[in-house]
Amino acid sequence: MPARAPHVTEKGYKYMITAFDSWNSPPQDLTLDLGEIHVWRVSLAQTESCLQSLQQTLSTDERTKAEGFRFPKDRSQFIVSRGALRAILSSYLNINSHILRFDYNPYGKPSLIAAQGGNTLRFNLSHSGNMALIAITKNRDIGVDIEGINPKFPCLEIAEKFFSPLENTVLRSLPEHLQPRAFFTCWTRKEAYIKAVGKGLSIPLNQFDVSLAPGEPAALLNVEKSPEEASRWSLIELIPSSDMVAAVAVAGDSSKLHCWQWTGEF
């Protein structure tokens, strides 16, 4: 459900945060109807036994990639995120998770092979720190991004390089202590959109505008040279935890959203 929490700063700047922050246990008879969006929150800090079980479901190329990580924490987080993705997708498809096979477009975006419903079931994965989000829908493009809020991050400097003129103007107009959250809010919305489109950073981040001001609904406002593009997409703000922000971009309507907490088993 949307959370609406009022905040008042020391300068009297009042705003409302409106976002989906309720993460529920999934029903046993899990289904994904046409028009629905399911977003799964996954803790990447799992037990050793869970880690071993998930690793056994990975493909050969996924295991090879996992072994390529230098640090054990990065390796285990990759195993959990990919293993959880397989477990979640298999629950919708009613097939064993280790059987799932993925295709990748020229920009690296994964999809299920056509024989396993890749033309119908669409998904996207993002992780930051010890948390991952997996967004799933049917018959339309979807993207998700999650980021931890770093108060010491050089927000204005990075925004100057990557954000649009409009976004920079809005960001600089905010009180200084609100700028980090606004920056990462903007970043997740932009990343979710380019991931949904599936062309990665071949789409310059400064050539489209998203909303970022506190209390302003998540939205794709404008795409340079494509005035009709913004009306094709919905953006959704998510609150994975108090120190993180996230966003989902989906083609079409976003009213039928469910947020689930992955428990490590079905």
Side-chain angles (χ1 to χ4, degrees):
M1 294 295 293
R4 309 180 74 87
H7 295 259
V8 181
T9 74
E10 66 272 13
K11 295 183 179 180
Y13 187 84
K14 185 176 181 180
Y15 61 95
M16 301 287 289
I17 292 177
T18 303
F20 289 86
D21 70 342
S22 180
W23 303 85
N24 304 309
S25 297
Q28 291 187 346
D29 56 341
L30 182 67
T31 59
L32 179 65
D33 294 332
L34 197 65
E36 286 188 332
I37 303 163
H38 290 188
V39 182
W40 293 80
R41 184 175 67 175
V42 177
S43 171
L44 299 181
Q46 297 291 331
T47 65
E48 186 63 30
S49 61
C50 178
L51 185 65
Q52 292 177 0
S53 297
L54 292 174
Q55 186 172 18
Q56 293 175 3
T57 70
L58 301 186
S59 64
T60 300
D61 62 309
E62 287 172 328
R63 294 184 189 184
T64 299
K65 185 172 182 178
E67 290 304 315
F69 286 99
R70 179 180 179 183
F71 299 106
K73 182 179 179 181
D74 296 331
R75 185 181 309 122
S76 65
Q77 288 181 345
F78 174 81
I79 292 171
V80 173
S81 62
R82 294 296 295 216
L85 173 64
R86 285 177 168 273
I88 290 168
L89 292 176
S90 69
S91 69
Y92 292 104
L93 297 168
N94 292 316
I95 62 177
N96 291 332
S97 58
H98 70 276
I99 297 176
L100 294 178
R101 294 293 178 265
F102 300 104
D103 281 332
Y104 297 86
N105 77 2
Y107 301 92
K109 184 177 182 180
S111 61
L112 288 164
I113 61 173
Q116 294 178 339
N119 294 327
T120 300
L121 199 65
R122 309 289 184 86
F123 67 89
N124 200 231
L125 165 70
S126 179
H127 67 85
S128 179
N130 283 323
M131 192 175 297
L133 294 182
I134 297 169
I136 303 175
T137 192
K138 284 184 175 180
N139 296 333
R140 52 186 176 154
D141 294 322
I142 192 167
V144 64
D145 191 61
I146 178 174
E147 301 288 344
I149 301 171
N150 181 357
K152 298 182 179 180
F153 192 78
C155 298
L156 298 183
E157 178 183 341
I158 301 302
E160 188 67 30
K161 294 180 179 179
F162 294 104
F163 287 3
S164 71
L166 173 63
E167 292 161 347
N168 271 286
T169 298
V170 174
L171 182 63
R172 291 176 182 275
S173 73
L174 297 174
E176 184 176 349
H177 66 285
L178 296 181
Q179 290 175 354
R181 175 175 286 274
F183 172 89
F184 287 104
T185 293
C186 184
W187 188 271
T188 57
R189 293 175 185 179
K190 295 175 85 68
E191 283 285 328
Y193 169 67
I194 65 173
K195 291 177 71 178
V197 174
K199 294 184 179 179
L201 290 174
S202 68
I203 302 176
L205 291 177
N206 62 0
Q207 291 187 9
F208 64 94
D209 306 316
V210 299
S211 59
L212 67 145
E216 187 178 5
L220 177 63
L221 301 175
N222 178 63
V223 178
E224 191 174 303
K225 299 180 181 180
S226 299
E228 74 289 344
E229 179 73 355
S231 64
R232 295 185 54 246
W233 295 90
S234 295
L235 287 182
I236 310 165
E237 180 182 7
L238 303 172
I239 302 178
S241 68
S242 60
D243 60 349
M244 305 188 87
V245 290
V248 172
V250 64
D253 180 68
S254 64
S255 60
K256 299 178 181 179
L257 173 69
H258 298 279
C259 295
W260 307 121
Q261 176 66 42
W262 188 65
T263 60
E265 58 185 47
F266 285 101

